[in-house]
């Protein structure tokens, strides 16, 4: 996933403004704008944290990020929207056996609406999986996580919304000392403008399989509508999700890598399989995304 220079891309989104904004007099609505903001850290071997902010009068609707220069030993630990949804924090940490110089990219999709979205969160201290739910009738357009555990012991392998965009799940694999594992959701009530049918759904790309690492998987593009949060699920021994690239014009990209294993040193925990008695699983990466579209 090639890094882009620090940038701000502002696009007019008439359809999006109509879909996200609740009913109100036309004069009260701001110009419908969506903004993709990207920030990049320096390149070195240290742990990284990048904070990226939305323009004035807009809110975070999705968070993305990825590392550049990793050899599989740098793990994402945070894609965290701020409580006020004006900014987001992305973090990555190298394992103790990593010597790679890397940089970290952070992204947010921001939108201006009459009513701000809301952040929901849920935390577990011991579990490997946690879910968070949006209150009805809001839907989950963005999601994120924070893993306050040793990256030598734990790795992210699932971050995705459900099929109705009502909740999101994060899953980590590993063993050893535990700590906080948090999942975040960005919830918003979608209004249907007169004469339009709004479609809200979880999109899924074609799984990328095989023994080649790292893997990248892309959502299928669409011509009408917008993609907000990008999630994924990866399987395979030592595999972890290390990239979520936001591309709001209908698609998005996830990336996964695996922790290299030295000969004679197996991983601490095996990858999950569908059946304990079944054959070894073929590693795979599948990208999912939260989408809304309108049809007149």
């Amino acid at each position: 996933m090639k890094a882009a220079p620090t940038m701000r891309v502002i696009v007019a989104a008439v359809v999006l403004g109509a879909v996200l904004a609740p009913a109100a007099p036309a004069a009260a609505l701001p110009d419908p704008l969506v903004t993709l903001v990207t920030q990049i850290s320096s390149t070195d071997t240290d742990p990284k944290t990048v904070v990226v902010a939305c323009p004035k009068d807009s809110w975070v609707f999705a968070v993305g990020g990825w590392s550049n220069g990793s050899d599989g030993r740098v793990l994402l630990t945070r894609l965290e929207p701020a409580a006020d949804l004006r900014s987001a924090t992305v973090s990555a940490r190298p394992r103790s056996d990593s010597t790679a110089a890397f940089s970290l990219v952070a992204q947010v999709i921001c939108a201006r609406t009459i009513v701000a979205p809301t952040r929901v969160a849920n935390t577990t201290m011991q579990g490997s999986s946690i879910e968070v739910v949006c209150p009805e009738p809001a839907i989950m357009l963005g999601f994120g996580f924070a893993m306050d555990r040793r990256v030598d012991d734990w790795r992210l392998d699932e971050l995705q919304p459900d099929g109705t965009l009502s909740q999101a799940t994060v899953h980590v694999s590993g063993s050893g000392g535990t700590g906080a594992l948090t999942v975040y959701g960005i919830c918003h009530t979608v209004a249907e403008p007169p004469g339009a049918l709004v479609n809200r759904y979880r999109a899924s790309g074609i799984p990328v399989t095989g023994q080649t690492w790292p893997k990248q998987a892309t959502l299928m593009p669409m011509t009408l509508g917008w993609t907000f949060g990008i999630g994924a699920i990866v399987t395979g021994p030592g595999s972890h999700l290390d990239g979520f690239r936001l591309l709001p014009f209908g698609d998005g990209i996830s990336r996964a890598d695996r922790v290299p294993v030295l000969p004679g040193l197996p991983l601490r925990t095996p990858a999950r399989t569908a059946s304990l008695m079944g054959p070894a699983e073929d590693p795979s990466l599948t990208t999912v995304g939260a989408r809304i579209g309108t049809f007149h």
Side-chain angles (χ1 to χ4, degrees), residues 162-220:
D162 68 349
T164 61
L165 300 185
S166 61
Q167 71 176 44
T169 300
V170 63
H171 183 278
V172 294
S173 290
S175 63
T178 55
L181 175 66
T182 303
V183 60
Y184 299 98
I186 300 172
C187 309
H188 194 68
T189 301
V190 176
E192 295 191 2
L197 173 64
V198 177
N199 193 14
R200 322 150 175 88
Y201 64 101
R202 181 186 70 176
S204 182
I206 298 173
V208 175
T209 61
Q211 299 294 332
T212 300
W213 299 91
K215 302 183 188 300
Q216 286 195 171
T218 306
L219 281 183
M220 300 299 290

Side-chain angles (χ1 to χ4, degrees), residues 61-64 79-81 132 140-145 159-162 165 167-169 183-186 202 228-232 244 288-290:
F61 274 79
V63 185
L79 295 176
E80 181 178 349
V132 68
M140 191 167 293
L141 292 178
F143 28 87
F145 81 104
L159 174 63
Q160 63 172 335
D162 68 349
L165 300 185
Q167 71 176 44
T169 300
V183 60
Y184 299 98
I186 300 172
R202 181 186 70 176
F228 289 89
I230 293 294
F244 301 91
V288 297

Side-chain angles (χ1 to χ4, degrees), residues 39-53 63-67 74-81 87-94 102-107 145-148 151:
Q39 297 288 343
I40 304 177
S41 74
S42 59
T43 301
D44 52 46
T45 60
D46 296 331
K48 305 282 189 302
T49 292
V50 178
V51 177
V52 58
V63 185
W66 65 91
S67 60
V74 175
L75 282 75
L76 280 179
T77 59
R78 194 175 304 272
L79 295 176
E80 181 178 349
S87 64
T89 300
V90 178
S91 298
R93 297 187 65 86
F102 70 97
S103 62
L104 181 64
V105 182
Q107 287 185 313
F145 81 104
M147 183 181 72
D148 295 317
V151 295

